């Protein structure tokens, strides 16, 4: 069999992407990527000599992470080298996968359109996304021919994708069949030869999920069904209830026959268009978030910033530009939302992200006091606290102590996910202090997520005494 090698361009893109956007959208990014970057020339030279067809995967880790207030998902973090290889392969065939999907111009599929930018490491098109999906839903529901709307959601989508139809689709849409075969090998190795389930959290997995169910898009379009989709969320717009039930049955049958997938009963509904607009499109929170997003985007353009996520030095802005940012009233929005019984966590993510971007430290006390209420967006809370550049060492010490207190007296740290995010704060620098408790915590924490972060934190704090006591036990450590 002819060896298959990565290209230099795809490897460079993979590392750029991971450094810019993370190896997942769930876990703290591992320090290994910084180590790899520091010696990238030699490391890349090594990877370019590896036959990907014979590549051996490394141990991964999985844990529960919150999906919404009372829901969870099993999230996966791959070994850093595996993530680079996975991203590299997808980059090689991404354009052909995208070409085979329903064209963007048809205004049907709005999720994860492959359009990479090598310099920034961006994987997907910034101009097509969930906001545009909602806008299309609004437009279609206003059509006079629409009286009913089907709302449908695939149950356990990523964990239940079967490899055989995925492999068939990859073989069909790309002339690089070697890469399709390698992807199947990687998935089989990560899943211990179970023939279904792709890693949840990885950027690449979203592209594979899209091509896996692209036949469902083609089936719906062939029946002239008026719908749009974002990932596993379908919205079908119908003239009457009979048509709605017929379309829903057709969708459910296609998913089961073609993929063994089913729809979530609790999320699948047939609604009048007014009910749909009331429950899914016109909530006060959605309108506020949409308005905020548009204002923020316009404001960035006026200031001359083209990257939505670029750090903004508020103190260096002109008085006029500072007034534009202040007009968003982000702190006020945060406080008002936290006072509600039903918090809009999408709005919270947006506000916390923007406060971090403009280096606004005013939300520190409120997020720390409300951290248990904010646990569905716990990652965003920690990223906010870590990301504020104006905190002095004394403030960081205080925040660090408060975060560590949650490890022993709060329900939120029942999950390894939350513990790893708290402890990740102490792995990057010593300004958060509190290193005197690391050894004790290490002996109390049983999960490998926490132990890894604590080992890194002790190393950062130069606690040589602990490492000297462990050298005889090195062979017993988790990879």
């Amino acid at each position: 069999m002819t060896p298959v090698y990565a290209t230099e361009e795809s490897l460079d893109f993979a590392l750029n992407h991971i450094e810019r956007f993370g190896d997942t959208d769930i876990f703290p990014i591992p320090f290994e990527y910084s180590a790899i970057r520091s010696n990238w020339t030699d490391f890349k030279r090594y990877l370019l000599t590896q036959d990907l067809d014979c590549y051996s995967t490394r141990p991964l880790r999985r844990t529960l992470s919150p999906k919404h207030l009372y829901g969870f998902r099993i999230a996966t973090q791959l070994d850093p080298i595996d993530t680079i290889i996975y991203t590299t392969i997808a980059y090689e065939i991404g354009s052909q996968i995208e070409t085979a999907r329903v064209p963007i111009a048809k205004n049907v599929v709005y999720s994860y359109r492959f359009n990479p930018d090598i310099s920034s490491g961006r994987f997907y098109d910034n101009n097509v996304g969930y906001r545009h999906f909602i806008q299309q839903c609004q437009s279609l529901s206003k059509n006079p021919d629409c009286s009913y709307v089907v709302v449908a959601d695939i149950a356990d989508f990523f964990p239940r994708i079967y490899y055989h139809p995925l492999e068939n689709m990859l073989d069909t849409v790309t002339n690089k069949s070697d890469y399709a075969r390698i992807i199947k090998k990687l998935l089989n190795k990560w899943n211990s030869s179970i023939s279904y389930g792709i890693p949840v959290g990885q950027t690449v997995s979203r592209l594979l999920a899209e091509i896996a169910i692209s036949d469902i898009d083609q089936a719906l379009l062939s029946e002239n069904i008026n719908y749009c989709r974002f990932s596993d969320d379908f919205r079908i717009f119908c003239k009457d209830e009979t048509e709605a039930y017929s379309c829903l049955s057709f969708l459910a049958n296609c998913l089961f026959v073609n993929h063994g997938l089913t729809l979530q009963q609790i999320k699948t509904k047939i609604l009048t268009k007014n009910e749909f607009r009331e429950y899914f499109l016109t909530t006060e929170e959605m309108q506020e978030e949409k308005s905020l997003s548009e204002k923020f985007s316009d404001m960035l353009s006026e200031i001359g910033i083209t990257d939505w996520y670029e750090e903004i030095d508020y103190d260096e802005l002109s008085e006029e530009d500072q007034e534009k940012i202040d007009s968003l009233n982000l702190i006020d929005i945060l406080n008002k939302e936290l006072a509600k019984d039903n918090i809009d966590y999408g709005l919270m993510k947006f506000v916390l992200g923007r406060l971090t971007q403009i280096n606004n430290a005013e939300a520190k006390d409120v997020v720390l006091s409300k951290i248990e209420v904010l646990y569905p967006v716990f990652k965003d809370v920690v990223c906010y606290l870590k990301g504020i550049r104006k905190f002095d060492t004394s403030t960081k010490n205080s925040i660090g102590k408060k975060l560590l207190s949650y490890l022993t007296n709060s329900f939120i740290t029942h999950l390894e996910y939350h513990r790893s995010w708290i402890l990740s704060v102490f792995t990057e620098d010593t300004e958060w202090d509190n290193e005197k408790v690391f050894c004790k915590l290490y002996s109390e924490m049983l999960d490998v997520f926490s132990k890894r972060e604590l080992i890194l934190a002790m190393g950062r704090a130069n606690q040589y005494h602990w490492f000297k006591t462990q050298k005889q036990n090195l062979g017993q450590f988790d990879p």
Side-chain angles (χ1 to χ4, degrees):
M1 191 175 294
T2 305
V4 182
Y5 299 106
T7 65
E8 187 169 0
E9 177 185 305
S10 61
L11 288 170
D12 283 333
F13 173 81
L15 186 56
N16 285 345
H17 168 73
I18 294 163
E19 288 177 322
R20 181 69 177 80
F21 298 96
D23 62 331
T24 72
D25 58 358
I26 300 171
F27 297 105
I29 185 168
F31 83 93
E32 283 89 345
Y33 293 107
S34 296
I36 289 169
R37 170 60 74 188
S38 71
N39 195 25
W40 182 232
T41 300
D42 291 340
F43 200 91
K44 179 168 60 176
R45 186 182 300 120
Y46 163 76
L47 290 178
L48 287 170
T49 66
Q50 302 304 299
D51 181 359
L52 299 181
D53 223 353
C54 302
Y55 178 76
S56 297
T57 59
R58 293 164 170 80
L60 52 76
R61 55 184 190 168
R62 288 193 174 102
T63 188
L64 276 178
S65 67
K67 190 173 183 181
H68 45 75
L69 189 57
Y70 300 116
F72 303 93
R73 58 182 170 179
I74 296 291
T76 302
Q77 188 166 42
L78 303 175
D79 178 274
I81 301 176
D82 286 8
T83 300
I84 291 174
I85 295 297
Y86 193 34
T87 308
T88 292
I89 294 170
Y91 177 78
E92 290 283 350
I93 60 175
S95 295
Q96 292 183 335
I97 289 176
E98 181 59 40
T99 300
R101 298 173 63 192
V102 175
I104 293 174
K106 284 188 175 291
N107 295 316
V108 171
V109 179
Y110 289 87
S111 41
Y112 310 116
R113 308 306 307 225
F114 183 75
N115 184 19
D117 179 76
I118 294 176
S119 60
S120 69
R122 189 196 69 229
F123 205 86
Y124 296 117
D125 196 328
N126 278 341
N127 298 312
V128 185
Y130 189 76
R131 182 160 58 93
H132 306 92
F133 168 67
I134 294 297
Q135 289 172 350
Q136 178 68 352
C137 287
Q138 289 173 329
S139 175
L140 293 174
S141 66
K142 290 178 182 177
N143 191 313
D145 293 333
C146 172
S147 297
Y148 284 83
V149 181
V150 175
V151 175
D153 184 283
I154 300 174
D156 297 325
F157 182 31
F158 281 34
R160 290 291 167 184
I161 292 176
Y162 278 91
Y163 298 158
H164 185 62
L166 172 59
E167 185 181 19
N168 285 343
M169 286 302 303
L170 290 174
D171 284 338
T172 300
V173 305
T174 177
N175 58 15
K176 299 181 178 181
S177 58
D178 291 340
Y179 288 99
R181 182 179 67 253
I182 292 166
I183 284 177
K184 183 185 177 185
K185 284 184 177 181
L186 291 175
L187 295 174
N188 271 316
K189 290 174 181 176
W190 289 327
N191 261 11
S192 302
S193 297
I194 296 173
S195 60
Y196 59 86
I198 61 177
V200 174
Q202 270 71 27
T203 297
V204 174
S205 293
R206 299 179 198 133
L207 185 62
L208 297 184
E210 289 296 321
I211 196 60
I213 62 165
S214 60
D215 61 319
I216 304 299
D217 292 318
Q218 297 297 340
L220 292 172
L221 290 173
S222 71
E223 294 294 315
N224 294 316
I225 292 175
N226 191 20
Y227 83 104
C228 59
R229 176 174 71 80
F230 187 90
S231 189
D232 55 354
D233 290 329
F234 291 81
R235 306 288 184 263
I236 306 175
F237 301 85
C238 308
K239 64 183 179 184
D240 53 40
E241 194 170 11
T242 300
E243 182 187 22
Y245 188 81
S246 174
C247 291
L248 175 58
S249 301
F250 180 79
L251 171 61
N253 187 63
C254 286
L255 285 168
F256 183 74
V257 172
N258 292 14
H259 299 278
L261 296 170
T262 58
L263 295 171
Q264 289 199 47
Q265 292 184 19
I266 195 169
K267 289 189 175 181
T268 299
K269 309 175 190 297
I270 294 177
L271 305 170
T272 67
K273 73 174 181 180
N274 289 335
E275 290 172 331
F276 173 72
R277 292 179 62 80
E278 179 182 354
Y279 296 133
F280 287 89
L281 297 181
T282 57
T283 65
E284 182 181 340
E285 292 86 353
M286 284 184 64
Q287 293 301 318
E288 186 165 24
E289 185 178 355
K290 178 174 180 288
S291 175
L292 273 175
S293 297
E294 290 173 348
K295 284 181 182 177
F296 192 75
S297 179
D298 291 342
M299 183 197 71
L300 291 186
S301 298
E302 292 171 11
I303 294 174
I305 296 173
T306 58
D307 185 347
W308 177 278
Y309 299 101
E310 181 181 334
E311 288 184 356
I312 299 172
D313 191 337
Y314 179 88
D315 295 331
E316 292 296 318
L317 295 177
S318 68
E319 188 173 325
E320 181 184 358
D321 288 337
Q322 287 182 353
E323 288 177 359
K324 290 175 184 176
I325 288 178
D326 294 342
S327 70
L328 294 176
N329 296 319
L330 293 173
I331 294 294
D332 189 44
I333 292 168
L334 179 74
N335 288 323
K336 285 181 178 178
E337 195 63 32
L338 286 171
K340 295 179 181 178
D341 292 331
N342 296 310
I343 294 173
D344 185 288
Y345 289 105
L347 184 58
M348 289 293 92
K349 287 170 69 75
F350 174 86
V351 171
L352 288 168
R354 304 294 72 76
L355 288 171
T356 307
Q357 190 174 1
I358 63 176
N359 197 26
N360 186 319
E362 292 181 50
K364 171 181 72 73
D365 292 334
V366 70
V367 299
L368 283 171
S369 65
K370 295 284 189 178
I371 202 164
E372 292 186 342
V373 176
L374 288 167
Y375 87 94
V377 290
F378 191 81
K379 167 192 169 182
D380 303 273
V381 171
V382 175
C383 287
Y384 165 74
L385 294 170
K386 290 167 64 175
I388 298 302
R389 303 173 294 286
K390 62 174 62 172
F391 288 150
D392 58 25
T393 301
S394 175
T395 302
K396 287 186 173 183
N397 288 178
S398 175
I399 293 172
K401 185 175 182 179
K402 183 70 172 176
L403 288 174
L404 289 175
S405 73
Y406 291 117
L407 293 174
T408 54
N409 65 9
S410 174
F411 74 90
I412 59 173
T413 52
H414 178 71
L415 293 182
E416 297 165 334
Y417 167 83
H418 294 104
R419 295 197 293 273
S420 66
W421 268 107
I422 286 176
L423 293 170
S424 72
V425 170
F426 303 91
T427 67
E428 296 174 12
D429 61 56
T430 56
E431 292 187 347
W432 305 91
D433 198 19
N434 297 281
E435 61 251 29
K436 292 179 181 179
V437 303
F438 295 160
C439 290
K440 183 174 183 292
L441 284 172
Y442 184 87
S443 65
E444 294 173 351
M445 299 289 173
L446 301 179
D447 64 286
V448 295
F449 283 82
S450 299
K451 286 185 177 294
R452 171 186 160 89
E453 301 303 318
L454 283 164
I455 289 171
L456 294 174
M458 288 187 285
R460 180 70 68 189
N462 296 321
Q463 295 188 344
Y464 299 115
H465 62 90
W466 183 87
F467 290 90
K468 288 181 178 179
T469 66
Q470 297 298 318
K471 61 183 179 181
Q472 300 298 324
N473 305 323
L474 189 60
Q476 300 171 26
F477 277 62
D478 182 273

